[in-house]
């Protein structure tokens, strides 16, 4: 409670014995004093000065963040980071984006989950106001950072490629840019990379120097896990520049990884295997639903069917490029709805609320 200074108390005694207009002046002075004290108190609160892109929690977190009991008995602590990258100017995350980050944060409680976003300007103190940023602030291991692409590509074979302005006129530039970012990210920093249309079911840290098979003929880079400065990622950067073709869909993504892995292992066709320290994971590990069958995500499944389907699965790719316009009933027994419910319950609660 604010305490009135002694000078104001004396003034009060004087005013009460004089005209009513003087009483009005006293009330005005007191209210002004109280307002100034309150204003100064807010401005001087050290909690109001957060770090760069601090996440402000406007959503109650009590039921969102996993407690220590939820993570007990899990994998040993790891310092490997989990990365997501947004190469467009988008700063209004979708439900799926939020679910991807939330599910990764829940399944990797001892790892930093870093979201790099090109649309965020460097130096700002707070994120744009959006429910997803507020929700993700409930997870202490989630960090959202601006992505400076010139700085990011510096010191790599892709630096000169990025500086060529005509690249931005290519029809698949944003996707090619994403392909470039993930291989540079793995080479520079190592850790785990995930597209923002994954739902993570299990801790991925034991899948080291690995990528996934999406079908019988091709690998996919939506999931990557490599140690920093790995030779395989160095070869990927070299192939990116030497065999560049931004006009063919997937040439710099799945096509590139498939080309390099075949050379790495001296293969004619892709198969689940490990050679020279790099593993091509079986399709069910991270791509249990083939892109050709993406509609299965919106079909009802029983709990037993779900358990059987995901028995050997670490993460599920949602194929957002194909599925984003399909309406998902919430709540429902659809496979995708059940994945939301179990692995990103905070996002799921927001979906139900909306």
């Amino acid at each position: 409670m604010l305490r009135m200074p002694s000078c104001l108390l004396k003034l009060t005694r004087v005013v009460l014995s004089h005209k009513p207009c003087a009483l009005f002046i006293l009330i005005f002075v007191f209210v002004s004093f109280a307002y100034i004290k309150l204003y100064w108190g807010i401005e001087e609160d050290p909690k109001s000065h957060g770090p760069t892109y601090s996440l402000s929690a406007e959503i109650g977190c009590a039921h969102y963040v996993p407690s220590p009991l939820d993570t007990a008995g899990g994998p040993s602590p790891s310092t490997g980071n989990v990365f997501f990258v947004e190469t467009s100017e988008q700063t209004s995350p979708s439900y799926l984006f939020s679910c991807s980050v939330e599910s990764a944060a829940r399944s990797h409680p001892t790892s930093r989950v870093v979201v790099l976003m090109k649309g965020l300007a460097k130096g700002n103190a707070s994120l744009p106001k959006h429910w997803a940023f507020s929700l993700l602030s409930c997870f202490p291991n989630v960090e959202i950072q601006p992505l400076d692409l010139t700085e990011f590509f510096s010191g790599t074979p892709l630096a000169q490629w990025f500086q060529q302005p005509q690249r931005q006129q290519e029809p698949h530039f944003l996707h090619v840019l994403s392909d470039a970012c993930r291989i540079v990210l793995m080479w520079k920093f190592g850790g785990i990379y995930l597209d923002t249309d994954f739902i993570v079911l299990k801790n991925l840290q034991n899948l080291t120097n690995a990528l996934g098979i999406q079908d019988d003929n091709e690998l996919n880079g939506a999931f990557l896990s490599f140690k920093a400065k790995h030779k395989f990622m160095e070869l990927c950067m070299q192939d990116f520049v030497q065999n560049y073709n931004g006009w063919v869909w997937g040439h710099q993504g799945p096509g590139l990884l498939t080309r390099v892995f075949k050379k790495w292992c001296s293969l004619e066709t892709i198969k689940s295997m490990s050679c020279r320290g790099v593993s091509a994971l079986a399709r069910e590990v991270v791509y249990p639903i083939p892109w050709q069958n993406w509609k299965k995500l919106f079909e009802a499944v029983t709990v037993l069917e779900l358990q059987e389907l995901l028995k050997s699965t670490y993460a599920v790719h949602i194929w957002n490029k194909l599925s984003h316009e399909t309406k998902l009933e919430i709540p429902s027994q659809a496979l995708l709805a059940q994945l939301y419910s179990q692995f990103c319950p905070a996002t799921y609660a927001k979906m139900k609320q909306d």
Side-chain angles (χ1 to χ4, degrees):
M1 179 179 294
L2 298 175
R3 176 174 295 178
M4 186 182 294
S6 58
C7 60
L8 287 180
L9 289 173
K10 293 177 182 177
L11 179 61
T12 302
R13 297 191 188 99
V14 173
V15 168
L16 290 176
S17 61
H18 291 76
K19 298 179 181 180
C21 62
L23 179 60
F24 172 78
I25 295 173
L26 174 63
I27 293 173
F28 176 79
V29 170
F30 176 75
V31 171
S32 299
F33 168 76
Y35 175 80
I36 292 170
K37 286 291 292 180
L38 180 61
Y39 177 79
W40 284 352
I42 292 174
E43 284 296 298
E44 294 170 358
D45 183 3
K47 294 181 181 179
S48 67
H49 303 287
T52 301
Y53 282 107
S54 58
L55 298 170
S56 60
E58 297 174 359
I59 295 178
C61 300
H63 302 294
Y64 292 169
V65 182
S67 69
L69 292 176
D70 293 327
T71 58
S76 58
S78 171
T79 56
N81 294 334
V82 179
F83 291 100
F84 294 91
V85 177
E86 177 57 67
T87 54
S88 74
E89 300 293 332
Q90 178 64 251
T91 56
S92 300
S94 65
Y95 294 120
L96 182 54
F97 182 111
S98 175
C99 182
S100 296
V101 179
E102 178 187 347
S103 63
R106 289 181 181 276
S107 55
H108 300 81
T110 60
S111 301
R112 293 168 65 222
V113 178
V114 182
V115 183
L116 302 173
M117 302 186 74
K118 180 175 177 288
L120 300 179
K122 292 183 67 175
N124 283 12
S126 60
L127 288 160
K129 289 188 178 298
H130 191 275
W131 66 265
F133 295 135
S134 179
L135 184 152
L136 293 174
S137 72
C138 295
F139 298 89
N141 56 334
V142 172
E143 301 176 17
I144 299 180
Q145 302 177 8
L147 176 61
D148 182 332
L149 288 170
T150 301
E151 179 183 329
F152 183 76
F153 287 124
S154 67
T156 76
L158 279 70
Q160 187 176 357
W161 163 81
F162 180 67
Q163 295 299 329
Q164 299 174 20
Q166 70 270 22
R167 298 300 183 205
Q168 299 193 26
Q169 306 305 316
E170 296 169 352
H172 311 301
F173 176 72
L174 276 182
H175 295 93
V176 171
L177 184 59
S178 178
D179 293 330
C181 284
R182 68 192 67 183
I183 60 177
V184 169
L185 192 64
M186 290 293 94
W187 185 79
K188 274 192 168 184
F189 306 107
I192 294 167
Y193 166 82
L194 291 166
D195 275 3
T196 55
D197 58 349
F198 256 111
I199 298 180
V200 185
L201 318 185
K202 302 173 186 174
N203 191 288
L204 298 161
Q205 294 289 0
N206 64 331
L207 304 178
T208 307
N209 299 331
L211 63 172
I213 296 175
Q214 72 171 11
D215 55 39
D216 294 337
N217 303 309
E218 206 164 38
L219 296 165
N220 193 307
F223 158 81
L224 295 171
S225 178
F226 280 87
K227 293 182 178 179
K229 305 300 188 292
H230 196 283
K231 183 65 176 180
F232 185 86
M233 283 294 116
E234 183 180 342
L235 293 175
C236 286
M237 291 192 298
Q238 292 173 6
D239 185 282
F240 189 98
V241 175
Q242 293 169 3
N243 298 307
Y244 185 79
N245 187 339
W247 295 84
V248 176
W249 171 262
H251 186 80
Q252 303 304 118
L256 180 152
L257 295 168
T258 302
R259 290 192 301 271
V260 174
F261 188 78
K262 284 181 176 180
K263 292 178 182 177
W264 181 266
C265 298
S266 301
L267 294 174
E268 292 293 329
T269 58
I270 293 295
K271 60 182 178 180
S272 177
M273 63 179 297
S274 179
C275 71
R276 298 174 59 195
V278 177
S279 298
L281 305 174
R283 183 177 56 77
E284 60 268 19
V285 178
V286 287
Y287 304 109
I289 308 296
W291 67 266
Q292 299 92 333
N293 299 337
W294 65 268
K295 291 183 179 179
K296 185 176 180 65
L297 291 161
F298 297 86
E299 297 174 2
V301 294
T302 66
V303 174
L304 290 177
E305 288 173 328
L306 177 63
Q307 292 175 348
E308 183 62 29
L309 177 67
L310 305 178
K311 185 163 44 178
S312 303
T313 300
Y314 282 72
V316 180
H317 194 218
I318 308 303
W319 308 107
N320 187 55
K321 180 176 173 59
L322 300 170
S323 65
H324 70 278
E325 293 184 351
T326 304
K327 183 179 180 181
L328 177 65
E329 294 292 336
I330 296 292
S332 73
Q333 294 302 306
L335 172 58
L336 183 53
Q338 294 196 54
L339 292 175
Y340 272 107
S341 175
Q342 291 188 38
F343 300 103
C344 54
T347 301
Y348 183 71
K350 175 63 176 174
M351 294 171 74
K352 290 197 297 183
Q353 175 186 324
D354 293 345

